[in-house]
Amino acid sequence: MNRVPQHKSAQYIRCGVVVREIAPHSTNHPPITYDHQDDYYIFGLIESGTACGMIDFKELHLAQNDVFIVQPGQMHRFIAAEGIKGWLLMVDCSYVDSDEKCILDHLLLSASAFKIENTERNDLCGLASILAHRLNSNKGMSIGIGTQRMAEAFVSVVAEQAQKFTLQTKHSHRHTEIMLQLRNLLAQHIAENHQPAFYASQLNISTVYLNEIVRKLTGLSTSSYIKNEIVLLAKRMLARTDLSVKQIANQLGFEDWAYFTRLFTQATSITPTAFRSKYLE
């Protein structure tokens, strides 16, 4: 049984696109204060004020000119805001093309938010305002090609700015590509194999070279990075399912669930059982 709600695009996003204006004291769309997951993208823009939220168990503090992105599958919730004004765009995954997805995945290696200049903020606000007007005038009918293109343009501008932000890290394109390939491999095989050597072989590089790349981009060894990914998956499962710690350990590839418990506790300073109890209290 799922403890954490799973929001689906077909249920929550009319015609694949929803735009919401964020304004102080607005009651039209109260922020979601409980943890949940979506199968669609959320792009947020802060015009003024401050806000705080949680994405994948990490607090995110936002201020003027910040753009934040919640990717499909990430657990998130609103915590607090003060004098907040801005926009939210929620779009089905079909509105994000493969190049943009690659850029957003690259961003995820280092951040969930970044700051933009006033000019880009004004461009995005203008697009969001026109989109909101068009959707509100649509009266539930299927949206036209012009409205679709505007939503896609909003996503493209965000991806363009995200790419500028990630380029500031000055990591080589080759290293970034290998890191993204590693993430894809982990999504496929993390329950089967936790060894850096396995992933290095899949990437046709040496374990030493893979470790060098992962450390440059994340500050962690490959082994530590893999453990962090395991712990994140375990947190999601502890929060959203009724599976026992032993069952979660087995699903994540640990025959010895006591070892899994030690690994989780070492990484988080709390046992899996205590994390579940604290998280759901």
Side-chain angles (χ1 to χ4, degrees), residues 141-172:
M141 300 174 65
S142 59
I143 63 175
I145 190 68
T147 303
Q148 292 180 34
R149 292 290 182 263
M150 290 190 70
E152 290 168 354
F154 188 103
V155 173
S156 294
V157 172
V158 171
E160 177 185 66
Q161 295 304 307
Q163 187 171 45
K164 286 183 179 179
F165 173 79
T166 55
L167 286 174
Q168 294 173 6
T169 60
K170 298 182 180 179
H171 295 309
S172 77

Side-chain angles (χ1 to χ4, degrees), residues 63-81:
Q64 186 178 39
N65 285 16
D66 279 340
V67 172
F68 67 91
I69 301 166
V70 181
Q71 301 215 29
Q74 289 190 298
M75 291 187 64
H76 60 285
R77 64 182 168 91
F78 169 84
I79 296 177

Side-chain angles (χ1 to χ4, degrees), residues 15-84:
C15 306
V17 182
V18 167
V19 178
R20 290 179 183 164
E21 187 172 9
I22 308 169
H25 313 301
S26 174
T27 58
N28 291 336
H29 299 285
I32 299 176
T33 56
Y34 57 83
D35 283 286
H36 62 287
Q37 292 174 302
D38 307 320
D39 68 351
Y40 49 86
Y41 283 88
I42 298 176
F43 299 93
L45 169 63
I46 309 299
E47 285 188 73
S48 59
T50 59
C52 179
M54 188 83 74
I55 300 180
D56 272 342
F57 312 98
K58 295 179 181 178
E59 280 196 11
L60 182 66
H61 296 272
L62 302 162
Q64 186 178 39
N65 285 16
D66 279 340
V67 172
F68 67 91
I69 301 166
V70 181
Q71 301 215 29
Q74 289 190 298
M75 291 187 64
H76 60 285
R77 64 182 168 91
F78 169 84
I79 296 177
E82 184 175 344
I84 191 74

Side-chain angles (χ1 to χ4, degrees), residues 179 183 186 214 218 220-229:
M179 192 69 201
R183 286 182 61 83
L186 285 169
V214 174
T218 70
L220 300 170
S221 67
T222 307
S223 179
S224 294
Y225 184 80
I226 292 171
K227 286 179 181 177
N228 279 3
E229 290 297 298

Side-chain angles (χ1 to χ4, degrees), residues 43-231:
F43 299 93
L45 169 63
I46 309 299
E47 285 188 73
S48 59
T50 59
C52 179
M54 188 83 74
I55 300 180
D56 272 342
F57 312 98
K58 295 179 181 178
E59 280 196 11
L60 182 66
H61 296 272
L62 302 162
Q64 186 178 39
N65 285 16
D66 279 340
V67 172
F68 67 91
I69 301 166
V70 181
Q71 301 215 29
Q74 289 190 298
M75 291 187 64
H76 60 285
R77 64 182 168 91
F78 169 84
I79 296 177
E82 184 175 344
I84 191 74
K85 183 180 179 184
W87 293 92
L88 286 179
L89 175 72
M90 289 156 276
V91 296
D92 184 81
C93 292
S94 61
Y95 281 78
V96 181
D97 68 26
S98 57
D99 289 339
E100 291 162 348
K101 184 181 184 304
C102 185
I103 291 169
L104 299 179
D105 287 346
H106 183 187
L107 175 71
L108 193 60
L109 296 176
S110 56
S112 294
F114 57 93
K115 200 168 287 292
I116 59 175
E117 299 295 331
N118 290 339
T119 301
E120 284 71 29
R121 180 200 66 197
N122 293 337
D123 288 345
L124 287 173
C125 288
L127 280 170
S129 180
I130 298 171
L131 266 172
H133 175 72
R134 281 174 170 255
L135 292 169
N136 289 335
S137 302
N138 198 44
K139 305 302 182 184
M141 300 174 65
S142 59
I143 63 175
I145 190 68
T147 303
Q148 292 180 34
R149 292 290 182 263
M150 290 190 70
E152 290 168 354
F154 188 103
V155 173
S156 294
V157 172
V158 171
E160 177 185 66
Q161 295 304 307
Q163 187 171 45
K164 286 183 179 179
F165 173 79
T166 55
L167 286 174
Q168 294 173 6
T169 60
K170 298 182 180 179
H171 295 309
S172 77
H173 179 72
R174 166 70 172 160
H175 287 180
T176 300
E177 286 300 311
I178 289 175
M179 192 69 201
L180 292 176
Q181 289 175 35
L182 172 63
R183 286 182 61 83
N184 288 334
L185 286 169
L186 285 169
Q188 298 173 47
H189 301 292
I190 199 166
E192 306 160 17
N193 203 303
H194 305 157
Q195 300 304 313
F198 168 80
Y199 295 99
S201 68
Q202 293 294 304
L203 293 165
N204 294 313
I205 59 178
S206 71
T207 305
V208 172
Y209 184 45
L210 177 60
N211 195 61
E212 177 185 328
I213 292 170
V214 174
R215 193 176 292 280
K216 278 185 178 179
L217 270 67
T218 70
L220 300 170
S221 67
T222 307
S223 179
S224 294
Y225 184 80
I226 292 171
K227 286 179 181 177
N228 279 3
E229 290 297 298
I230 291 169
V231 169

